[in-house]
mmCIF file of all heavy atoms in Angstrom:
data_model
loop_
_atom_site.group_PDB
_atom_site.id
_atom_site.type_symbol
_atom_site.label_atom_id
_atom_site.label_comp_id
_atom_site.label_asym_id
_atom_site.label_seq_id
_atom_site.Cartn_x
_atom_site.Cartn_y
_atom_site.Cartn_z
ATOM 1 N N ASP H 7 105.739 106.471 97.651
ATOM 2 C CA ASP H 7 106.081 106.853 96.209
ATOM 3 C C ASP H 7 105.990 105.542 95.432
ATOM 4 O O ASP H 7 106.971 104.651 95.535
ATOM 5 C CB ASP H 7 107.393 107.594 96.118
ATOM 6 C CG ASP H 7 107.664 108.030 94.754
ATOM 7 O OD1 ASP H 7 106.751 107.901 93.840
ATOM 8 O OD2 ASP H 7 108.727 108.739 94.587
ATOM 9 N N GLU H 8 104.919 105.495 94.486
ATOM 10 C CA GLU H 8 104.859 104.145 93.826
ATOM 11 C C GLU H 8 105.600 104.457 92.439
ATOM 12 O O GLU H 8 105.701 103.468 91.676
ATOM 13 C CB GLU H 8 103.417 103.943 93.594
ATOM 14 C CG GLU H 8 102.583 103.507 94.885
ATOM 15 C CD GLU H 8 102.978 102.120 95.306
ATOM 16 O OE1 GLU H 8 103.628 101.306 94.674
ATOM 17 O OE2 GLU H 8 102.415 101.783 96.373
ATOM 18 N N SER H 9 105.934 105.592 92.122
ATOM 19 C CA SER H 9 106.704 105.782 90.804
ATOM 20 C C SER H 9 108.091 105.207 90.793
ATOM 21 O O SER H 9 108.741 105.148 91.799
ATOM 22 C CB SER H 9 106.689 107.307 90.456
ATOM 23 O OG SER H 9 107.552 107.867 91.433
ATOM 24 N N GLU H 10 108.427 104.628 89.758
ATOM 25 C CA GLU H 10 109.798 103.956 89.610
ATOM 26 C C GLU H 10 110.095 102.989 90.647
ATOM 27 O O GLU H 10 111.218 102.692 91.141
ATOM 28 C CB GLU H 10 110.890 105.110 89.679
ATOM 29 C CG GLU H 10 110.687 106.096 88.548
ATOM 30 C CD GLU H 10 111.767 107.271 88.720
ATOM 31 O OE1 GLU H 10 112.722 107.083 89.516
ATOM 32 O OE2 GLU H 10 111.608 108.242 88.038
ATOM 33 N N ARG H 11 109.079 102.221 91.016
ATOM 34 C CA ARG H 11 109.126 101.252 92.144
ATOM 35 C C ARG H 11 109.769 99.899 91.567
ATOM 36 O O ARG H 11 109.536 99.488 90.469
ATOM 37 C CB ARG H 11 107.702 100.896 92.684
ATOM 38 C CG ARG H 11 107.774 99.767 93.848
ATOM 39 C CD ARG H 11 106.485 99.575 94.381
ATOM 40 N NE ARG H 11 106.480 98.507 95.372
ATOM 41 C CZ ARG H 11 105.327 97.989 95.929
ATOM 42 N NH1 ARG H 11 104.234 98.789 95.718
ATOM 43 N NH2 ARG H 11 105.451 97.072 96.801
ATOM 44 N N VAL H 12 110.735 99.363 92.361
ATOM 45 C CA VAL H 12 111.394 98.225 91.894
ATOM 46 C C VAL H 12 110.782 97.099 92.878
ATOM 47 O O VAL H 12 110.139 96.149 92.367
ATOM 48 C CB VAL H 12 112.824 98.288 92.021
ATOM 49 C CG1 VAL H 12 113.554 96.948 91.569
ATOM 50 C CG2 VAL H 12 113.416 99.442 91.162
ATOM 51 N N VAL H 13 111.254 97.070 94.037
ATOM 52 C CA VAL H 13 110.899 96.125 95.019
ATOM 53 C C VAL H 13 110.158 96.784 96.122
ATOM 54 O O VAL H 13 108.945 96.480 96.497
ATOM 55 C CB VAL H 13 111.989 95.272 95.600
ATOM 56 C CG1 VAL H 13 111.610 94.239 96.624
ATOM 57 C CG2 VAL H 13 112.825 94.561 94.455
ATOM 58 N N GLU H 14 110.733 97.642 96.935
ATOM 59 C CA GLU H 14 110.208 98.276 97.988
ATOM 60 C C GLU H 14 109.824 99.772 97.632
ATOM 61 O O GLU H 14 110.651 100.455 96.846
ATOM 62 C CB GLU H 14 111.139 98.360 99.201
ATOM 63 C CG GLU H 14 111.377 96.913 99.701
ATOM 64 C CD GLU H 14 112.324 97.031 101.038
ATOM 65 O OE1 GLU H 14 112.740 98.095 101.367
ATOM 66 O OE2 GLU H 14 112.665 95.926 101.554
ATOM 67 N N ARG H 15 108.695 100.324 98.203
ATOM 68 C CA ARG H 15 108.447 101.688 97.836
ATOM 69 C C ARG H 15 108.922 102.571 98.878
ATOM 70 O O ARG H 15 108.913 102.226 100.056
ATOM 71 C CB ARG H 15 106.784 101.823 97.748
ATOM 72 C CG ARG H 15 106.020 101.418 99.117
ATOM 73 C CD ARG H 15 104.584 101.377 98.890
ATOM 74 N NE ARG H 15 103.979 101.136 100.273
ATOM 75 C CZ ARG H 15 102.595 100.775 100.297
ATOM 76 N NH1 ARG H 15 101.838 101.001 99.330
ATOM 77 N NH2 ARG H 15 102.113 100.648 101.486
ATOM 78 N N PRO H 16 109.478 103.688 98.363
ATOM 79 C CA PRO H 16 110.077 104.635 99.434
ATOM 80 C C PRO H 16 109.044 105.254 100.285
ATOM 81 O O PRO H 16 107.896 105.566 99.714
ATOM 82 C CB PRO H 16 110.636 105.797 98.541
ATOM 83 C CG PRO H 16 110.864 105.109 97.212
ATOM 84 C CD PRO H 16 109.796 104.001 97.091
ATOM 85 N N GLU H 17 109.243 105.477 101.524
ATOM 86 C CA GLU H 17 108.269 106.004 102.508
ATOM 87 C C GLU H 17 108.956 107.276 102.985
ATOM 88 O O GLU H 17 110.113 107.321 103.623
ATOM 89 C CB GLU H 17 107.919 105.057 103.589
ATOM 90 C CG GLU H 17 107.201 103.655 103.114
ATOM 91 C CD GLU H 17 106.682 102.988 104.114
ATOM 92 O OE1 GLU H 17 107.149 103.027 105.414
ATOM 93 O OE2 GLU H 17 105.766 102.156 103.834
ATOM 94 N N THR H 18 108.161 108.338 102.805
ATOM 95 C CA THR H 18 108.735 109.639 103.284
ATOM 96 C C THR H 18 107.773 110.498 104.188
ATOM 97 O O THR H 18 106.653 110.700 103.767
ATOM 98 C CB THR H 18 108.941 110.594 101.967
ATOM 99 O OG1 THR H 18 109.800 109.809 101.001
ATOM 100 C CG2 THR H 18 109.734 111.839 102.422
ATOM 101 N N PRO H 19 108.269 110.893 105.415
ATOM 102 C CA PRO H 19 107.428 111.629 106.362
ATOM 103 C C PRO H 19 107.383 113.164 105.784
ATOM 104 O O PRO H 19 108.300 113.496 104.948
ATOM 105 C CB PRO H 19 108.082 111.586 107.638
ATOM 106 C CG PRO H 19 109.444 111.441 107.234
ATOM 107 C CD PRO H 19 109.519 110.467 106.000
ATOM 108 N N LEU H 20 106.414 113.921 106.176
ATOM 109 C CA LEU H 20 106.304 115.278 105.666
ATOM 110 C C LEU H 20 107.336 116.103 106.217
ATOM 111 O O LEU H 20 107.935 116.977 105.662
ATOM 112 C CB LEU H 20 104.892 115.864 106.152
ATOM 113 C CG LEU H 20 103.829 115.795 105.432
ATOM 114 C CD1 LEU H 20 102.475 116.270 106.018
ATOM 115 C CD2 LEU H 20 103.936 116.393 103.990
ATOM 116 N N PHE H 21 107.885 115.777 107.462
ATOM 117 C CA PHE H 21 108.964 116.505 108.185
ATOM 118 C C PHE H 21 109.681 115.511 109.053
ATOM 119 O O PHE H 21 109.187 114.542 109.508
ATOM 120 C CB PHE H 21 108.472 117.775 108.795
ATOM 121 C CG PHE H 21 107.351 117.487 109.756
ATOM 122 C CD1 PHE H 21 107.597 117.261 111.094
ATOM 123 C CD2 PHE H 21 106.102 117.564 109.374
ATOM 124 C CE1 PHE H 21 106.693 117.003 112.079
ATOM 125 C CE2 PHE H 21 105.031 117.411 110.319
ATOM 126 C CZ PHE H 21 105.289 117.191 111.560
ATOM 127 N N ASP H 22 110.870 115.958 109.439
ATOM 128 C CA ASP H 22 111.580 115.212 110.501
ATOM 129 C C ASP H 22 111.093 115.284 111.961
ATOM 130 O O ASP H 22 111.099 116.478 112.441
ATOM 131 C CB ASP H 22 113.102 115.590 110.548
ATOM 132 C CG ASP H 22 113.980 114.763 111.328
ATOM 133 O OD1 ASP H 22 114.396 113.718 110.839
ATOM 134 O OD2 ASP H 22 114.171 115.228 112.510
ATOM 135 N N ASN H 23 110.536 114.296 112.480
ATOM 136 C CA ASN H 23 109.927 114.286 113.926
ATOM 137 C C ASN H 23 110.877 114.844 114.895
ATOM 138 O O ASN H 23 110.564 115.565 115.832
ATOM 139 C CB ASN H 23 109.438 112.927 114.157
ATOM 140 C CG ASN H 23 108.059 112.805 113.805
ATOM 141 O OD1 ASN H 23 107.205 113.835 113.876
ATOM 142 N ND2 ASN H 23 107.537 111.596 113.395
ATOM 143 N N LYS H 24 112.183 114.313 114.901
ATOM 144 C CA LYS H 24 113.148 114.702 115.858
ATOM 145 C C LYS H 24 113.434 116.222 115.967
ATOM 146 O O LYS H 24 113.435 116.815 116.981
ATOM 147 C CB LYS H 24 114.384 113.910 115.681
ATOM 148 C CG LYS H 24 114.317 112.420 115.998
ATOM 149 C CD LYS H 24 115.611 111.676 115.874
ATOM 150 C CE LYS H 24 115.585 110.298 116.213
ATOM 151 N NZ LYS H 24 116.924 109.619 116.246
ATOM 152 N N ALA H 25 113.598 116.697 114.636
ATOM 153 C CA ALA H 25 113.998 118.195 114.610
ATOM 154 C C ALA H 25 112.699 119.034 114.989
ATOM 155 O O ALA H 25 112.867 120.029 115.685
ATOM 156 C CB ALA H 25 114.215 118.443 113.109
ATOM 157 N N PHE H 26 111.578 118.557 114.731
ATOM 158 C CA PHE H 26 110.227 119.216 115.082
ATOM 159 C C PHE H 26 110.201 119.250 116.650
ATOM 160 O O PHE H 26 109.844 120.272 117.253
ATOM 161 C CB PHE H 26 109.097 118.549 114.398
ATOM 162 C CG PHE H 26 107.738 119.264 114.992
ATOM 163 C CD1 PHE H 26 107.343 120.422 114.459
ATOM 164 C CD2 PHE H 26 107.007 118.570 115.820
ATOM 165 C CE1 PHE H 26 106.156 121.065 114.854
ATOM 166 C CE2 PHE H 26 105.800 119.122 116.348
ATOM 167 C CZ PHE H 26 105.334 120.338 115.832
ATOM 168 N N ARG H 27 110.409 118.193 117.207
ATOM 169 C CA ARG H 27 110.247 117.962 118.590
ATOM 170 C C ARG H 27 111.243 118.833 119.442
ATOM 171 O O ARG H 27 110.918 119.593 120.364
ATOM 172 C CB ARG H 27 110.491 116.517 119.077
ATOM 173 C CG ARG H 27 110.374 116.308 120.542
ATOM 174 C CD ARG H 27 110.577 114.702 121.012
ATOM 175 N NE ARG H 27 110.291 114.380 122.287
ATOM 176 C CZ ARG H 27 111.190 114.745 123.332
ATOM 177 N NH1 ARG H 27 112.445 115.180 123.037
ATOM 178 N NH2 ARG H 27 110.835 114.320 124.552
ATOM 179 N N GLU H 28 112.511 118.806 118.905
ATOM 180 C CA GLU H 28 113.570 119.645 119.551
ATOM 181 C C GLU H 28 113.258 121.125 119.385
ATOM 182 O O GLU H 28 113.444 121.908 120.335
ATOM 183 C CB GLU H 28 114.960 119.355 118.979
ATOM 184 C CG GLU H 28 115.470 117.946 119.202
ATOM 185 C CD GLU H 28 115.672 117.687 120.728
ATOM 186 O OE1 GLU H 28 115.846 118.594 121.501
ATOM 187 O OE2 GLU H 28 115.716 116.426 121.071
#
Side-chain angles (χ1 to χ4, degrees):
D7 186 0
E8 295 286 355
S9 64
E10 302 177 10
R11 178 177 177 179
V12 180
V13 179
E14 297 182 356
R15 59 188 183 187
E17 296 187 342
T18 306
L20 274 175
F21 55 89
D22 186 87
N23 269 324
K24 289 183 179 180
F26 174 77
R27 181 178 186 277
E28 294 298 338

